[in-house]
Amino acid sequence: MEKKPHFIRREFLPREVPSISLALLLAAVLLLNALLYLYLNKFYISLGRVETDHGLCPFGYFKFGAVKNCSPWLSCEAINTEVRKLKCVGEGAVKKVFLSEWKEKKVVLSQLTNSELKEDFLHGLKMLKALQSKHVVRLLGYCEQQFTILTEYHPLGSLRGLNETLHIPKYKGMNTWHRRLMLAIDYVSVIQYLHSSPLGTLVMCDSNDLDKVLSQYLLTSDFHVLVNDLDALPLVNRSAGRLVKCGHRELRGEFVAPEQRWPYGEDVPFEDDLMPPYDEKTDIWKIPDVSNFFLGHVEGSDIVRLHLFDIHAACKKKDPAERPSAQEVLDTYRKVLTLLIQEAAMPGTREML
């Protein structure tokens, strides 16, 4: 009996096509991820806080601009003979600030105006010397005898003028959600640095309202944030049971943390001696309000706020111990930035998979 050949029907082709398509799609995603990784590296270098030349000079020296060599901090004699005042550009409770010139470079000269606050002035100088880093305005010189400090000049001024700056035609291209988020990251980076500084855990006390906070920071020409005013930086030392109080007056309003407000009600007059001290978590409470200012109302900023909702809610916990650390906030901000850039670079990828 003749055997009939058996024909096995194979359906490889219909099954292979989706497999090949999926493989190609995955390969494309991997390639895009690799390109995105390179882009993010470049993005963080161009927009993030790049290590500046501070670290290339030993303590007591500085360099800036195109200068390659480090120079020693200017002494009283050098400041008196080489620095020329141009005009007064600001005055606060502690000092008056002058736009000045040194060797054809614009610099800032700060001088004590109220002798009763000389301790605050000298504390600010001490902090400025000890905390020199990529987060802090560059110190160029000082004269303790004359209560004078010389620092680097940043023409865009304090963060109070951020929105006005971003409406200048030259800077309108900077007015995007990712640039604004990078400024918020810079700000939180400063807070994280102060909370883990070489001197210990420092609290940013000149921060009783948003305008006051913004006045403490400078906007650099390449759109980064530097802390400029370090006059009020008390030290927290938990192991020694040392907490802080920001001043000796009653603080009010929703901007300051709950533990900074008088806890005994309106019927009990405020007394500084009865006011309980607190720790660095007061800075964490204020982060959402400051970041909200940074984000502004540009296209995409509401999406950023949505992604930051949980971490900001945690920052606003009434119990300071339940709030995240500055490092945790910073990590979250960076993750959100990376996620949003990925989504912008690869729209619809998740749906395709």
Side-chain angles (χ1 to χ4, degrees):
M1 185 176 179
E2 187 179 352
K3 292 183 178 179
K4 294 182 180 179
H6 292 281
F7 295 98
I8 300 173
R9 186 178 179 183
R10 303 195 177 194
E11 298 180 352
F12 288 149
L13 190 58
R15 291 178 183 176
E16 287 175 355
V17 170
S19 299
I20 293 172
S21 299
L22 183 59
L24 289 173
L25 178 58
L26 288 172
V29 169
L30 289 173
L31 178 61
L32 282 171
N33 273 328
L35 293 173
L36 185 61
Y37 175 80
L38 294 174
Y39 168 74
L40 285 173
N41 264 352
K42 184 177 179 181
F43 185 84
Y44 277 117
I45 289 172
S46 62
L47 295 183
R49 291 304 300 130
V50 182
E51 290 292 339
T52 66
D53 291 338
H54 285 109
L56 300 180
C57 292
F59 180 81
Y61 290 77
F62 73 92
K63 69 174 185 174
F64 68 102
V67 178
K68 293 183 179 180
N69 298 323
C70 296
S71 301
W73 287 336
L74 300 189
S75 63
C76 295
E77 181 182 0
I79 290 174
N80 290 333
T81 58
E82 300 175 18
V83 176
R84 181 169 66 94
K85 291 181 185 177
L86 299 178
K87 63 177 179 179
C88 179
V89 292
E91 184 174 0
V94 178
K95 53 187 176 286
K96 186 177 286 189
V97 180
F98 298 89
L99 174 62
S100 304
E101 192 173 59
W102 174 69
K103 293 188 176 180
E104 299 182 347
K105 297 181 179 69
K106 295 290 193 303
V107 293
V108 173
L109 187 71
S110 301
Q111 291 184 318
L112 178 69
T113 54
N114 185 347
S115 59
E116 294 180 0
L117 299 175
K118 63 181 180 181
E119 293 302 321
D120 292 337
F121 184 90
L122 293 176
H123 177 74
L125 173 58
K126 177 184 175 183
M127 295 294 105
L128 195 54
K129 289 192 291 183
L131 299 175
Q132 283 295 287
S133 70
K134 63 182 181 179
H135 304 292
V136 179
V137 69
R138 196 168 310 185
L139 177 65
L140 308 181
Y142 63 92
C143 180
E144 285 194 37
Q145 297 93 315
Q146 299 173 7
F147 298 99
T148 300
I149 299 173
L150 194 70
T151 54
E152 190 175 13
Y153 172 62
H154 294 279
L156 295 182
S158 80
L159 288 176
R160 284 189 295 190
L162 174 63
N163 289 324
E164 289 76 8
T165 297
L166 289 171
H167 282 96
I168 297 172
K170 178 181 177 181
Y171 298 112
K172 278 189 175 181
M174 302 284 194
N175 197 16
T176 61
W177 68 262
H178 52 85
R179 288 279 182 172
R180 284 177 169 271
L181 179 54
M182 282 304 303
L183 290 176
I185 289 174
D186 275 359
Y187 165 71
V188 178
S189 296
V190 173
I191 298 299
Q192 190 278 331
Y193 174 67
L194 295 178
H195 287 185
S196 58
S197 83
L199 301 177
T201 302
L202 299 168
V203 182
M204 192 66 176
C205 265
D206 264 346
S207 56
N208 298 335
D209 57 63
L210 179 61
D211 191 65
K212 185 64 174 176
V213 171
L214 298 175
S215 71
Q216 309 301 303
Y217 296 85
L218 295 172
L219 179 64
T220 68
S221 297
D222 58 349
F223 270 70
H224 293 300
V225 174
L226 297 175
V227 64
N228 180 52
D229 196 329
L230 304 174
D231 293 346
L233 278 183
L235 179 69
V236 169
N237 188 338
R238 284 193 185 84
S239 60
R242 181 179 178 181
L243 299 178
V244 304
K245 287 191 286 188
C246 291
H248 304 288
R249 298 178 182 178
E250 182 178 2
L251 301 179
R252 296 176 178 268
E254 293 298 315
F255 187 83
V256 297
E259 63 271 22
Q260 291 185 282
R261 302 172 210 153
W262 180 242
Y264 303 117
E266 295 289 340
D267 295 335
V268 180
F270 177 82
E271 287 187 40
D272 183 44
D273 291 340
L274 298 179
M275 181 66 198
Y278 34 83
D279 62 18
E280 77 281 2
K281 290 298 184 75
T282 58
D283 290 333
I284 304 300
W285 171 273
K286 298 160 189 173
I287 286 176
D289 298 295
V290 180
S291 290
N292 188 54
F293 167 81
F294 280 124
L295 292 174
H297 300 285
V298 298
E299 182 179 356
S301 63
D302 286 341
I303 299 298
V304 178
R305 286 185 178 90
L306 183 63
H307 280 79
L308 296 177
F309 180 84
D310 288 342
I311 192 68
H312 282 173
C315 290
K316 291 294 188 179
K317 293 280 189 181
K318 187 172 182 180
D319 182 356
E322 295 181 5
R323 295 174 205 154
S325 67
Q327 185 63 61
E328 290 171 323
V329 178
L330 182 59
D331 291 343
T332 302
Y333 274 39
R334 287 173 172 165
K335 287 176 184 176
V336 167
L337 175 65
T338 301
L339 173 65
L340 291 175
I341 291 175
Q342 286 176 335
E343 291 181 351
M346 298 186 295
T349 303
R350 188 178 299 167
E351 289 77 5
M352 291 169 66
L353 292 173

